[in-house]
Amino acid sequence: MGKIIISTNVSLDGVVQDPDGKEGFGRGGWFARSGGQDLGEWAKVEYAEALRAAALLLGRRSDEWFAARWAPSRTGEFADRLNSLPKYVVSSTLQDPAWTNVTVLKGDVIDEVTRLKQELDGDIVVYASYQLGRTLLEHDLVDELRLFVFPVVVGAGERLFGETSVEKPFRLAGSRTVGDGLVYVTYEIVSGDA
């Protein structure tokens, strides 16, 4: 059975919006500014995660974002791994996926992701798909959170979590400093019978 993992970069105040500054958000670009020299170590952790992943699960906009930044221009082992991974994109409108190795999930998102978890073995990693991540969290389909916390308060912007119908308890599974200023934390879902 597959395990759904939300893996993302987040500011101290929970902002995930426009980390590279190329989306036009006035406070975008915080990833490189606050990550600085630690981004080399960040890349090593992310690459190791990609090597362990069985597949990526994305929303339509994230598929477009990654395709524009990874498929045509990046080379090397990390790019090769991301480009070659099977990708499942949740969308009711997507006709022509922009990235490589994409299967479009067009049905009910909860049914489609539940089926995907049953069919795949290993880590199904959700990158940058915050609306999708919120839906999966609300419907108890997330198994783990992996958060790279960047040392910056952005002060405005879209945040990782939205409202939920009930509390969603997690347990700290690990934490460590990456480089001199990044913190990498892993949380596992606390099931109702735990």
Side-chain angles (χ1 to χ4, degrees):
M1 176 174 254
K3 184 164 104 172
I4 301 288
I5 297 164
I6 294 177
S7 178
T8 196
N9 304 306
V10 61
S11 69
L12 282 172
D13 57 341
V15 173
V16 292
Q17 185 175 356
D18 197 9
D20 70 353
K22 296 180 181 174
E23 298 171 33
F25 174 53
R27 297 185 187 192
W30 52 268
F31 173 84
R33 284 194 310 270
S34 63
Q37 301 225 348
D38 294 335
L39 293 180
E41 294 302 311
W42 168 91
K44 291 176 185 175
V45 174
E46 289 296 310
Y47 178 57
E49 177 179 76
L51 289 175
R52 291 188 311 270
L56 300 181
L57 177 61
L58 307 165
R60 179 191 51 81
R61 288 184 297 184
S62 294
D63 169 63
E64 293 169 356
W65 189 93
F66 277 105
R69 288 161 176 82
W70 285 88
S73 60
R74 296 205 186 169
T75 60
E77 293 176 343
F78 192 11
D80 290 346
R81 178 62 180 161
L82 285 184
N83 288 328
S84 68
L85 272 170
K87 296 159 198 78
Y88 297 87
V89 177
V90 175
S91 176
S92 60
T93 60
L94 183 61
Q95 298 299 318
D96 188 23
W99 211 359
T100 55
N101 302 323
V102 171
T103 300
V104 179
L105 305 178
K106 290 188 178 265
D108 176 79
V109 65
I110 304 311
D111 293 341
E112 293 285 335
V113 173
T114 299
R115 180 184 54 76
L116 185 66
K117 281 183 76 165
Q118 293 168 349
E119 291 177 0
L120 292 180
D121 286 324
D123 293 351
I124 304 166
V125 181
V126 179
Y127 287 140
S129 302
Y130 311 115
Q131 183 177 351
L132 173 61
R134 290 178 192 132
T135 299
L136 299 176
L137 185 65
E138 176 63 21
H139 292 279
D140 299 321
L141 290 170
V142 175
D143 298 289
E144 189 174 303
L145 298 172
R146 295 179 186 161
L147 307 176
F148 256 113
V149 182
F150 281 68
V152 62
V153 172
V154 178
E158 188 171 344
R159 287 174 167 70
L160 177 59
F161 302 110
E163 292 185 18
T164 58
S165 59
V166 297
E167 287 183 2
K168 304 290 180 178
F170 283 80
R171 138 183 349 104
L172 182 65
S175 65
R176 64 184 167 125
T177 303
V178 175
D180 292 326
L182 303 180
V183 177
Y184 184 65
V185 293
T186 304
Y187 291 96
E188 296 172 345
I189 189 73
V190 175
S191 63
D193 51 338

